[in-house]
Amino acid sequence: MENKASFKGLIPFLVFILLYLGTGIFLNIQGVELAFYQLPGPVAAFAGIVVAFIIFRGTITEKFNTFLEGCGHPDIITMCIIYLLAGAFAIVSKAMGGVDSTVNLGITYIPPHYIAVGLFIIGAFISTATGTSVGAIVALGPIAVGLGEKSGVPMPLILAAVMGGAMFGDNLSVISDTTIAATKTQGVEMKDKFRINSYIALPAAILTIILLFIFARPDVVPEAVSHEYNLLKVLPYVFVLVMALVGVNVFVVLTSGILLSGIIGFIYGDFTLLSYGKEIYNGFTNMTEIFVLSLLTGGMAQMVTREGGIDWVINTVQKFIVGKKSAKLGIGLLVSLADIAVANNTVAIIITGGISKKISENNKVDLRESAAFLDIFSCVFQGMIPYGAQMLILLGFAGDKVSPTQLIPLLWYQLLLAVFTIIYIAFPQISDKTLNFIDKNKK
């Protein structure tokens, strides 16, 4: 039986967040590289779980059963399996040369005098196809720095274009951690979240491209260079994206993508049967941290809910909510603060997903929209905070030439994404028309 709303029930979550955040701040002060990523999230979550077992009422057996109930919730298990398949697809496709071919294809055909625009578009495609902003930054970062030095375009503007493109895909990709977490915590389909999300993100991306056209023209046009690429190796990314948007079951989509990438790898001699199996497993292990974190936070969330912690947050937030608009903004604020605290947009969504769903249900917010808002706001801040992995890795490629304070004002895509989302929220007729259009076009 669940208890009444209680701040005490929230303490394990606070221990988790404060331990994660506090360790990052302390190590950052000490000058440790990637300070906010030194303490694995599952360890911080485990500390919160231990606290829950100590302070919550009931026998050990009762509390353990509650914990297991949360770990084994169908939404949590589904999310974890999708993580594994998405990781396997990303690693297998990269191992057979998919990422290199995609980058080289873009660099070859984007006109050199539109290099900043090209980097934004290529970054957007890579991150959308692979589901990872960090992967897009790692692939494009060194190339962007070299082109920036040759072209005369201010380096902060070049890096901002890469960051914007990377976060575009992180937010929209149907196989990204954030999309998986947002849709599963809200109980909605990926294609519906994608459609709502794209109506907000595409105008921001188009306006960003226009601004880059105007303000990022190079003083010296870099020499056009043809890079080696293979269209067949780009095919798995296109296949997965199209199949997911058509509405094919996500497990079928990702499994088919893994098989297609494997077949292409066999054709070109990139794999043996044994190495193919190892790459699939490497993809699984790459998702170990987020997999374990999802299980642990699922169990902790069930304990916190049973003790009244989630109801306490909802009751507190509800005092400031007077309708749908403020409910939507409240969801955005919650996940934004969580991301600023933990510097990981997927973790932020997992932490706030359950609370956001209840706020949405209480205020008649469409859950497809709440999934989109969770993903959008977390990605906006993840692509801007100076201590996030994306920012740290990108600035690392530029050495000491660019500081976060130089880069942040030029992150036009993230800023415009936030503006267009607030406009979407502020004018209910936009929301109504969008949802009606999606419902009418459902097959």
Side-chain angles (χ1 to χ4, degrees):
M1 183 177 178
E2 292 187 11
N3 295 311
K4 294 181 180 179
S6 169
F7 176 77
K8 177 185 175 183
L10 197 63
I11 291 176
F13 258 148
L14 293 178
V15 170
F16 165 41
I17 294 172
L18 292 175
L19 179 60
Y20 198 75
L21 176 64
T23 302
I25 292 174
F26 176 77
L27 294 177
N28 190 54
I29 293 172
Q30 301 297 314
V32 176
E33 188 176 355
L34 293 173
F36 282 82
Y37 297 85
Q38 297 303 309
L39 176 66
V43 175
F46 180 67
I49 291 166
V50 171
V51 169
F53 270 87
I54 293 172
I55 68 172
F56 287 173
R57 289 171 292 178
T59 66
I60 292 294
T61 301
E62 290 171 342
K63 287 183 279 192
F64 192 68
N65 287 338
T66 300
F67 174 73
L68 289 181
E69 184 182 337
C71 291
H73 190 282
D75 287 344
I76 297 294
I77 298 300
T78 300
M79 186 162 56
C80 288
I81 299 302
I82 294 173
Y83 283 142
L84 294 182
L85 293 176
F89 172 71
I91 293 298
V92 170
S93 299
K94 181 179 180 180
M96 65 83 176
V99 172
D100 291 337
S101 280
T102 302
V103 172
N104 291 344
L105 175 65
I107 294 297
T108 297
Y109 288 102
I110 295 292
H113 46 289
Y114 296 134
I115 193 62
V117 173
L119 288 169
F120 178 86
I121 293 172
I122 297 168
F125 180 80
I126 293 173
S127 57
T128 302
T130 62
T132 166
S133 54
V134 171
I137 289 169
V138 169
L140 273 183
I143 296 171
V145 170
L147 292 172
E149 291 173 342
K150 293 177 183 177
S151 68
V153 176
M155 189 63 71
L157 198 51
I158 287 287
L159 297 183
V162 174
M163 179 70 86
M167 296 315 298
F168 174 89
D170 194 321
N171 175 212
L172 274 180
S173 175
V174 292
I175 62 169
S176 72
D177 296 353
T178 57
T179 294
I180 295 167
T183 54
K184 292 307 170 186
T185 57
Q186 303 308 292
V188 300
E189 293 186 26
M190 291 184 182
K191 64 177 181 179
D192 289 338
K193 177 264 181 188
F194 177 89
R195 288 170 180 170
I196 293 173
N197 206 154
S198 62
Y199 293 145
I200 300 171
L202 287 177
I206 291 169
L207 189 50
T208 299
I209 289 171
I210 293 171
L211 291 173
L212 290 172
F213 265 122
I214 297 171
F215 296 106
R217 290 184 175 272
D219 297 328
V220 178
V221 178
E223 182 182 351
V225 179
S226 179
H227 297 270
E228 185 178 348
Y229 64 88
N230 187 323
L231 283 175
L232 193 59
K233 293 190 174 186
V234 181
L235 179 61
Y237 297 130
V238 179
F239 169 81
V240 165
L241 180 60
V242 171
M243 293 291 283
L245 295 182
V246 167
V248 177
N249 180 279
V250 65
F251 295 105
V252 175
V253 170
L254 291 173
T255 302
S256 300
I258 294 168
L259 293 174
L260 180 57
S261 292
I263 290 169
I264 294 172
F266 289 135
I267 291 172
Y268 288 95
D270 299 306
F271 300 130
T272 63
L273 189 59
L274 187 59
S275 64
Y276 174 57
K278 287 182 178 178
E279 295 296 351
I280 291 175
Y281 184 69
N282 287 338
F284 290 167
T285 56
N286 269 12
M287 290 295 191
T288 298
E289 182 172 339
I290 194 66
F291 182 100
V292 175
L293 180 63
S294 295
L295 283 178
L296 294 180
T297 53
M300 178 165 54
Q302 185 68 16
M303 296 180 75
V304 167
T305 300
R306 187 66 59 89
E307 196 69 17
I310 300 299
D311 285 337
W312 185 89
V313 174
I314 292 170
N315 291 344
T316 304
V317 173
Q318 198 69 40
K319 295 176 183 177
F320 303 95
I321 293 176
V322 293
K324 280 189 180 182
K325 289 183 185 179
S326 52
K328 293 174 182 179
L329 288 173
I331 291 168
L333 180 61
L334 278 173
V335 76
S336 298
L337 292 175
D339 185 72
I340 291 169
V342 302
N344 186 309
N345 45 349
T346 306
V347 175
I349 292 171
I350 292 172
I351 291 172
T352 58
I355 299 171
S356 298
K357 185 177 182 181
K358 287 195 175 183
I359 291 175
S360 296
E361 291 171 341
N362 290 345
N363 295 277
K364 298 182 180 179
V365 174
D366 194 295
L367 292 175
R368 295 171 293 183
E369 290 186 320
S370 63
F373 297 146
L374 283 171
D375 206 339
I376 288 171
F377 281 103
S378 65
C379 283
V380 164
F381 284 93
Q382 186 63 29
M384 296 182 72
I385 52 176
Y387 47 87
Q390 290 83 351
M391 183 77 76
L392 292 170
I393 292 170
L394 186 60
L395 293 179
F397 289 126
D400 298 325
K401 298 176 183 177
V402 180
S403 68
T405 54
Q406 292 175 294
L407 185 59
I408 290 172
L410 298 174
L411 295 172
W412 297 330
Y413 173 69
Q414 289 91 308
L415 295 169
L416 288 169
L417 181 60
V419 169
F420 278 105
T421 306
I422 292 171
I423 291 172
Y424 180 94
I425 293 171
F427 295 94
Q429 56 268 38
I430 299 176
S431 171
D432 293 340
K433 288 181 179 178
T434 301
L435 293 172
N436 288 336
F437 179 80
I438 291 172
D439 290 335
K440 286 180 181 178
N441 287 275
K442 271 192 172 184
K443 294 183 178 180

